[in-house]
Amino acid sequence: MAELQTVEAALAALLDGVTPTPPESRPCEQAAGRVLAEAIEARLDVPAFDNSAMDGYALHHRDAGKRLTISQRIAAGSPATPLTPGTCARIFTGGEIPPGADCVVMQERVEVAADLAAIPPEIPAGDNVRLRGRDVASGDSLLPAGERLEAAALGHLAGQGITEVMVRRRPRVALLSTGDEIIDPGRPLAPGQIYNSNRPMLRRLLECFGAELTLVTSIPDDPAGTRETLSAAALEADLVISTGGVSVGEEDHVKDALASLGQLDLWRLAIRPGKPLALGRLPGRKGREIRFVGLPGNPVSSFVGAWLFLRPLLGALQGCPALASLPCIPARADFTTHTGPRRHYMRVLLEFGREGIIARAFRDQNSGVLSSCISADALAVIPAESRIDPGDPVDCLWLRVQ
């Protein structure tokens, strides 16, 4: 019997030698969720000029406490002219600070009669002024290579007038299901059959992790068909994933097929759920080495395996450091549990309060209870050969896409 391997050993084997996918150019409007292949430098100062942070009156701070003539009106998008000394300018949020002014007083603090504004005393220089280049200065690093382009990053690019970026090609993934008893929803169930819950669950997780699914199919329950399907999948994908068929049953053919076609790097992990997990490599096009991950068939085991292994692997394939590991949140347990020789990943809800963070475990932690994954915030990591009681510290891996 093969020795059980640690998560750390599995990740090291899985990520060894992985290189990012090739870069490709994409319009920014089509780049949401993509990963930058190269760093981007700022072309413009943001803001591009000193401007007002609110509606009010622009003046020089030495004129505070005086009644000043309103000499001009500056709306956002309108050019400002130099401020006549001893006057003020009516200005609106985003309006350009006129030369000669160095502060803005909010309109609620100013009394206006005809064209005169009574300015309150002691307005400091720089008050309510957003200085040119406060956010970004031209020539600064705007976004690093490996940044995943989500909402704020896309806005950052638009603020520079950038319309096209170089991103990593999405990793192409083949998702394979094993088991003649597994059928797709929409067909009537025969005796002994169950619906395929792993496929839609993993499809969604893989897409969230940045993958493009190029093949979604089932593997026949026979050795020759299994080898043929794995071989064909490796010719059109960067990563081949299967669910089920990696245990020791007579109808579990995936592990043996992998070993005969390519290389079995690791099998059977010292974790719960998810002990029967196979990692290896398959021959692809032009001598390429294609990574293979064989997840267990139980849905919770596949769910946990996707977060622990598929997320960092797809991060490496996209050159995205943010996907390398799940954020770890220290919490206090509200449950009692103990472990044997395997590390346990428990589905928990996190409750944030004045006394700190409490991890509340789902009552049924069985690997077939997928309902526990729907609202789980995190996976509480319980070390092997340990006991946890209420109030004990526990590290929780936050289930976060990025």
Side-chain angles (χ1 to χ4, degrees):
M1 185 70 69
E3 181 182 351
L4 297 181
Q5 300 294 316
T6 65
V7 169
E8 292 74 20
L11 281 171
L14 183 65
L15 301 178
D16 179 45
V18 172
T19 56
T21 56
E24 60 184 11
S25 180
R26 280 290 178 270
C28 287
E29 60 187 19
Q30 298 175 15
R34 304 296 292 272
V35 176
L36 281 178
E38 58 187 24
I40 296 180
E41 187 177 281
R43 306 170 180 176
L44 307 170
D45 293 333
V46 178
F49 47 83
D50 296 351
N51 68 89
S52 178
M54 59 183 58
D55 294 349
Y57 295 84
L59 62 144
H60 196 283
H61 73 280
R62 65 170 171 261
D63 290 327
K66 301 178 183 177
R67 294 174 65 84
L68 302 177
T69 299
I70 302 170
S71 58
Q72 61 178 297
R73 182 180 186 277
I74 308 168
S78 301
T81 58
L83 188 67
T84 302
T87 71
C88 65
R90 179 69 167 116
I91 196 166
F92 298 89
T93 303
E96 182 182 5
I97 302 296
D102 64 2
C103 63
V104 173
V105 58
M106 66 177 67
Q107 61 187 14
E108 293 85 351
R109 298 184 62 196
V110 178
E111 294 182 5
V112 177
D115 62 347
L116 292 177
I119 306 298
E122 298 182 0
I123 306 299
D127 205 28
N128 299 317
V129 174
R130 295 185 291 217
L131 295 175
R132 176 176 180 168
R134 176 177 178 173
D135 186 8
V136 178
S138 176
D140 284 354
S141 172
L142 188 72
L143 293 169
E147 181 76 22
R148 198 168 189 194
L149 298 177
E150 300 298 349
L154 291 168
H156 220 28
L157 292 171
Q160 293 288 314
I162 295 172
T163 59
E164 195 108 353
V165 286
M166 293 297 294
V167 296
R168 292 292 174 188
R169 174 174 60 72
R170 289 191 185 278
R172 296 167 181 155
V173 174
L175 178 59
L176 314 177
S177 303
T178 67
D180 288 344
E181 79 281 9
I182 308 294
I183 68 169
D184 290 329
R187 296 166 52 192
L189 286 174
Q193 291 185 327
I194 59 173
Y195 287 124
N196 191 342
S197 58
N198 276 325
R199 180 175 288 173
M201 176 185 71
L202 291 173
R203 179 194 287 269
R204 177 57 183 155
L205 283 174
L206 290 166
E207 289 171 346
C208 288
F209 299 155
E212 175 188 359
L213 274 75
T214 55
L215 176 65
V216 180
T217 190
S218 297
I219 299 176
D221 265 351
D222 67 82
T226 299
R227 286 194 297 270
E228 182 180 341
T229 305
L230 289 181
S231 182
L235 294 178
E236 56 180 283
D238 302 301
L239 168 62
V240 177
I241 300 167
S242 75
T243 57
V246 293
S247 192
V248 293
E250 292 182 7
E251 297 300 323
D252 293 336
H253 306 297
V254 172
K255 180 173 66 71
D256 290 340
L258 172 64
S260 67
L261 291 170
Q263 176 179 325
L264 176 63
D265 290 327
L266 185 145
W267 175 58
R268 300 177 76 245
L269 299 183
I271 67 171
R272 175 183 171 212
K275 180 176 73 171
L277 185 141
L279 305 178
R281 307 163 198 231
L282 290 164
R285 292 185 184 276
K286 299 180 179 178
R288 290 179 62 215
E289 202 171 56
I290 304 303
R291 287 301 191 278
F292 171 85
V293 178
L295 295 171
N298 282 323
V300 176
S301 299
S302 281
F303 180 83
V304 172
W307 284 99
L308 295 182
F309 300 107
L310 299 185
R311 182 181 182 272
L313 176 55
L314 286 165
L317 285 168
Q318 296 170 89
C320 181
L323 293 175
S325 60
L326 289 166
C328 185
I329 298 176
R332 296 279 175 182
D334 84 330
F335 53 86
T336 297
T337 190
H338 65 275
T339 56
R342 291 187 285 161
R343 184 187 300 171
H344 193 182
Y345 291 86
M346 298 179 66
R347 285 84 73 199
V348 297
L349 292 168
L350 296 181
E351 184 178 288
F352 296 81
R354 292 182 179 179
E355 303 301 319
I357 305 170
I358 302 298
R360 302 198 181 279
F362 288 89
R363 180 179 299 176
D364 193 343
Q365 293 285 328
N366 185 275
S367 60
V369 182
L370 185 57
S371 58
S372 64
C373 299
I374 294 174
S375 54
D377 297 312
L379 299 173
V381 184
I382 314 300
E385 308 292 358
S386 65
R387 178 182 175 87
I388 298 293
D389 290 308
D392 285 347
V394 60
D395 287 336
C396 296
L397 301 180
W398 189 13
L399 299 179
R400 182 179 177 187
V401 171
Q402 186 175 356

